[in-house]
Amino acid sequence: QVQLVESGGGLVQAGGSLRLACAASGFTFGNYAMSWFRQAPGKRREVVAGISSTGDNTNYADSVKGRFTISRDNGKKTVYLQMNGLKPEDTAVYYCGAVRKWSDIRTMKNYDYWGLGTQVTVSS
């Protein structure tokens, strides 16, 4: 049974930090690129950051560059998102997803697996 389980969300003040984790099981984690997406109320889901299967390549949305860092530990089958300098506009449900091809990292419809999400709320 495939599972992606996000954790680490919560309520934080503007300027604060959170570290999200996504634990994978039921598939060959090291064969998949991984991403973090987010969806705010009334808005479309958008990609935040992606990392290739080996961790050699990363990609970030312009809105989070310099503040967020994606990483992965293939031995622990876990992908992380370190979020610093949080802003109220970062408030959203954050989802992790798994996709086979690095070239598809921004193509939601090509993702094979999704987690259920974790809420991040940034107060001003």
Side-chain angles (χ1 to χ4, degrees):
Q1 181 183 0
V2 171
Q3 281 192 309
L4 289 174
V5 180
E6 299 96 336
S7 62
L11 173 64
V12 64
Q13 289 188 330
S17 298
L18 284 173
R19 188 192 194 206
L20 306 183
C22 171
S25 61
F27 66 101
T28 306
F29 182 74
N31 287 351
Y32 286 76
M34 299 295 296
S35 288
W36 287 96
F37 283 73
R38 67 185 180 188
Q39 188 167 17
K43 295 189 177 181
R44 296 176 64 180
R45 191 174 296 192
E46 61 176 1
V47 64
V48 174
I51 188 166
S52 62
S53 58
T54 60
D56 290 342
N57 296 299
T58 58
N59 187 274
Y60 296 92
D62 287 343
S63 58
V64 306
K65 280 181 182 176
R67 299 188 298 124
F68 291 9
T69 303
I70 189 171
S71 62
R72 65 189 294 161
D73 184 332
N74 284 355
K76 294 183 178 179
K77 300 181 181 180
T78 302
V79 61
Y80 303 96
L81 186 68
Q82 178 67 44
M83 305 187 294
N84 299 328
L86 283 161
K87 305 175 181 180
E89 51 263 43
D90 294 319
T91 295
V93 178
Y94 283 70
Y95 301 89
C96 67
V99 64
R100 284 302 303 265
K101 296 180 180 179
W102 172 242
S103 57
D104 286 338
I105 205 74
R106 291 181 175 270
T107 309
M108 280 182 54
K109 66 180 179 66
N110 288 347
Y111 274 70
D112 294 283
Y113 310 118
W114 290 98
L116 295 179
T118 185
Q119 176 70 47
V120 171
T121 303
V122 185
S123 63
S124 57

